[in-house]
Amino acid sequence: MSTSPSVISASRQSVLQRTLGVLGGGQLGRMMADAAHRLGVRIVVLDPTPNSPAGQAADKQIVGDFKNAECIAELAAECDVLTVEIEHVNVDALEASAAKCSIQPSPATIRIIQNKFVQKQHLHARGIALGEFAEVVAGGRQGVMDAAARFGYPLMLKAKCLAYDGRGNAVVKSEQDIDAAIASLSGAAAGGLYAEKWVPFTRELAVMVARGLDGKVVSYPAVETFQRNSICHTVVAPAQISGEILARAAAVAEAAIATFDGAGIFGVELFLLADGTVLLNEIAPRPHNSGHYTIEACHTSQFEQHIRAVMGLPLGSPAMRVGASVMVNVLGSGSSDQDFDNTWALCSSSLSLPSSTSIHWYGKEGVRNGRKVGHVTITGPFMPDVQAALRALGPSFADSPVLESTFKLAPVVSVIMGSDSDLKTMTAAAQILTQFGVPFELTIVSAHRTPQRMMDFAKTAHTRGIKVIIAAAGGAAHLPGMVAAITPLPVIGVPVPLSYLDGQDSLYSIVQMPRGVPVATVAIGNSTNAALLAVRILSVQAPSLLEKMIQYQESMEREVLGKVDKLEQVGWSSYTAAGH
Ligand code: ADP
Ligand code: MG
């Protein structure tokens, strides 16, 4: 029996065309709407600004305040699920709609998170690592002095509620700053203040964590965030830190989100300390600026993941589908027409660049100084490619923290040697890797004198982001083979010539590996070739390295052909006399 393809049963229709209501109409809601449409989910947003960024992309906007109970009830009346793109909503009113529709994440979660102090108490009570904090109970000067007696200066004075983009924070460097700091927070002070001990972080990290209706949690790779004037400026994905710390950041973030009810995506801001400790800074119960890169760089964007989570669909893969990504926020430079043109020019400069650069313009009415109006995301197989694309964006992006000499890339090649006496042989490898712009580490690991260090190194190298190992050894030369027996990574052995046997002993030791444990071997003392082979292995995933390899080969050819010409011109006798 044939059925008409145009008829879809009511139950199927309801699965496909459910409506999601979003409190807030900013850029996060706008990008949520884009993702929702691809999944066949209808979107209605509630925001006081007519034609809001999200309203432009949604099926419908209700013009009204997301703090107003009646407006929230009106939104709830036509939605199957309610969610937020901003945490500063009226939670009581939201709770009142719980009988009419599913609210994700739960109002209880939003209530805890929207008060930073309550959020910290909640996390501290559940064993999540945080910096020290204390309520400023006396409200004014004395309360801050009490906190300073405990934490010392500088300390961070924070508004408990309504804080964003640094508005709601004041640094107190000494007793003299206290009155000004309290005054600067007067707008947000109604909800009360609290103090945080200064955290001497070396980096700021962030992890997006998604939680499904079934409580299942998945996390995105940890990113590094750079703030300027307390506003997120640049996000680097993945953070250029060891795999071990990436995993630690994910564990802290996942453990924190596991303490909350309800589904959705959460942004978890973290501090990394010099000793590798990861502390949680704050949580957002919604998509987050540090997750914008996921649109182009991950299998499932944070926005699609949020829609999947709150609508009860299976979560998607959070893994990156590119090797590297950088996101840069575009902020308004002022409110005049000229400022608007300048700001748009910043974004539009990316339109003429290769497709690895994507622009997002939020469609805000006019621009205001310091306000987020768009962002640019660059992706590539390899972080140096992304840095090159950022440079190509022009002078406005030239001051990026990612282009500063202090910004170190995580090593992808590890050059190890049995003894510091091997260094003179390995200098050439270091020079080649530097020439090709390949981030590498160079260290001493001895199979005979530090066997435990060798075991630890070989077991963890791939988890730290290393892709190729170059191992140099002289004499009995067990290092390359033993490392290859433990690591799953490609190992290139460099036989080092010592005073007896001229390196033939190490060549035989390295090359005569038993079946099943491969070690690539280069000529005795030829670490240049080891580095070139490492570059070729990496170039399988990084076309820019392939391009550089072609140029290297062409320059070698030019060098030899130059010698041929010279020899022809001057003859062998003068050529030799000239010391060539
Ligand atoms: P916002 O809501 O504006 O994101 P945060 O509490 O995250 O507020 O603070 C903004 C920035 O201020 C952080 O990204 C970090 O750079 C800095 N900061 C916040 N708390 C501390 C602290 N306790 N110690 C040092 N720096 C801090
Ligand atoms: Mg923050």
Side-chain angles (χ1 to χ4, degrees):
M1 205 180 82
S2 70
T3 50
S4 162
S6 61
V7 177
I8 300 174
S9 70
S11 63
R12 284 191 178 141
Q13 187 75 41
S14 67
V15 170
L16 290 171
Q17 294 228 323
R18 284 182 303 163
T19 300
L20 174 63
V22 184
L23 277 70
Q27 63 267 23
L28 302 178
R30 180 185 178 95
M31 291 183 270
M32 244 188 234
D34 288 345
H37 287 151
R38 283 195 294 106
L39 293 173
V41 172
R42 207 175 149 258
I43 287 269
V44 181
V45 304
L46 172 62
D47 193 89
T49 310
N51 199 31
S52 65
Q56 295 163 30
D59 294 273
K60 178 178 168 188
Q61 174 176 353
I62 296 174
V63 178
D65 197 333
F66 43 76
K67 294 187 183 125
N68 179 302
E70 277 170 30
C71 295
I72 294 176
E74 187 188 339
L75 178 70
E78 69 171 294
C79 295
D80 301 288
V81 181
L82 282 190
T83 192
V84 297
E85 62 108 61
I86 180 166
E87 55 276 28
H88 308 306
V89 298
N90 181 341
V91 178
D92 291 337
L94 201 53
E95 246 163 6
S97 297
K100 286 194 217 108
C101 53
S102 158
I103 302 171
Q104 303 300 338
S106 75
T109 294
I110 299 169
R111 193 189 295 283
I112 294 167
I113 290 178
Q114 70 178 189
N115 182 318
K116 286 192 188 190
F117 179 69
V118 174
Q119 183 194 133
K120 291 227 142 124
Q121 283 181 312
H122 167 95
L123 293 167
H124 179 66
R126 285 154 186 81
I128 306 297
L130 305 169
E132 286 187 66
F133 63 101
E135 190 166 23
V136 176
V137 266
R141 191 178 170 81
Q142 186 55 46
V144 181
M145 299 228 332
D146 292 346
R150 225 177 116 184
F151 302 147
Y153 293 107
L155 62 76
M156 191 63 109
L157 191 60
K158 294 192 179 182
K160 291 180 182 173
C161 301
L162 298 175
Y164 70 100
D165 286 350
R167 287 173 230 198
N169 288 1
V171 180
V172 182
K173 292 193 181 125
S174 68
E175 207 180 312
Q176 283 75 48
D177 287 352
I178 294 178
D179 292 335
I182 292 173
S184 76
L185 297 178
S186 60
L193 300 177
Y194 77 103
E196 287 185 10
K197 186 173 177 175
W198 192 260
V199 178
F201 59 82
T202 52
R203 296 177 194 250
E204 288 194 72
L205 307 177
V207 176
M208 297 306 306
V209 181
R211 191 183 148 99
L213 277 181
D214 57 1
K216 189 175 163 246
V217 163
V218 300
S219 64
Y220 286 76
V223 299
E224 181 170 10
T225 64
F226 293 87
Q227 340 305 321
R228 281 200 186 151
N229 301 321
S230 296
I231 302 179
C232 175
H233 181 279
T234 296
V235 174
V236 177
Q240 297 296 293
I241 51 179
S242 74
E244 194 187 339
I245 295 178
L246 286 173
R248 195 172 301 157
V252 173
E254 288 182 18
I257 297 312
T259 69
F260 292 104
D261 288 337
I265 193 119
F266 295 79
V268 184
E269 298 179 15
L270 304 159
F271 294 131
L272 175 63
L273 309 190
D275 66 358
T277 304
V278 174
L279 300 179
L280 190 145
N281 172 27
E282 62 164 347
I283 293 176
R286 52 167 168 78
H288 189 258
N289 202 164
S290 68
H292 290 357
Y293 81 97
T294 60
I295 297 176
E296 286 83 10
C298 295
H299 290 291
T300 313
S301 82
Q302 63 163 345
F303 300 101
E304 177 174 338
Q305 199 73 287
H306 185 69
I307 304 293
R308 287 177 181 233
V310 302
M311 301 308 283
L313 300 169
L315 298 183
S317 162
M320 286 182 76
R321 52 192 165 98
V322 292
S325 174
V326 169
M327 189 252 20
V328 185
N329 273 334
V330 176
L331 304 183
S333 55
S335 44
S336 69
D337 285 354
Q338 185 60 48
D339 289 319
F340 181 92
D341 292 348
N342 292 345
T343 308
W344 166 247
L346 257 173
C347 260
S348 62
S349 62
S350 66
L351 290 172
S352 51
L353 287 172
S355 56
S356 62
T357 305
S358 303
I359 161 181
H360 296 258
W361 184 256
Y362 304 150
K364 293 187 178 174
E365 287 285 319
V367 297
R368 260 193 277 136
N369 194 17
R371 193 156 182 238
K372 294 171 185 167
V373 293
H375 74 262
V376 173
T377 301
I378 305 169
T379 58
F382 190 44
M383 195 53 86
D385 297 331
V386 173
Q387 289 173 308
L390 191 58
R391 249 179 233 111
L393 273 175
S396 312
F397 293 86
D399 70 340
S400 167
V402 178
L403 299 180
E404 282 169 15
S405 58
T406 46
F407 180 70
K408 295 277 177 276
L409 300 185
V412 292
V413 174
S414 187
V415 180
I416 55 171
M417 55 197 101
S419 150
D420 61 349
S421 60
D422 300 336
L423 189 55
K424 54 182 182 305
T425 303
M426 298 312 291
T427 306
Q431 281 164 347
I432 290 285
L433 294 171
T434 306
Q435 183 181 335
F436 278 84
V438 172
F440 66 98
E441 62 181 14
L442 188 148
T443 187
I444 298 167
V445 177
S446 168
H448 305 127
R449 287 174 292 247
T450 60
Q452 191 55 50
R453 177 171 158 76
M454 181 203 65
M455 288 284 286
D456 295 343
F457 167 85
K459 269 193 185 144
T460 60
H462 65 288
T463 68
R464 294 189 298 114
I466 300 296
K467 304 276 186 257
V468 185
I469 296 169
I470 298 176
H478 288 116
L479 183 65
M482 286 307 298
V483 167
I486 302 163
T487 181
L489 295 173
V491 177
I492 306 168
V494 180
V496 175
L498 301 182
S499 38
Y500 299 105
L501 302 179
D502 282 342
Q504 297 203 35
D505 45 352
S506 42
L507 171 64
Y508 287 144
S509 296
I510 294 172
V511 83
Q512 284 297 97
M513 287 299 294
R515 213 184 306 269
V517 188
V519 174
T521 313
V522 295
I524 297 169
N526 194 338
S527 77
T528 301
N529 276 2
L532 290 171
L533 182 55
V535 172
R536 288 184 181 207
I537 292 171
L538 293 171
S539 73
V540 171
Q541 281 197 314
S544 63
L545 286 180
L546 200 69
E547 198 47 50
K548 283 187 186 167
M549 184 56 72
I550 293 168
Q551 285 164 13
Y552 178 84
Q553 289 169 300
E554 285 171 354
S555 75
M556 263 195 318
E557 187 180 10
R558 273 196 303 277
E559 197 182 317
V560 175
L561 292 178
K563 288 178 182 170
V564 171
D565 285 348
K566 186 91 186 161
L567 188 57
E568 259 173 31
Q569 276 167 24
V570 302
W572 65 267
S573 168
S574 311
Y575 190 91
T576 314
H580 288 296

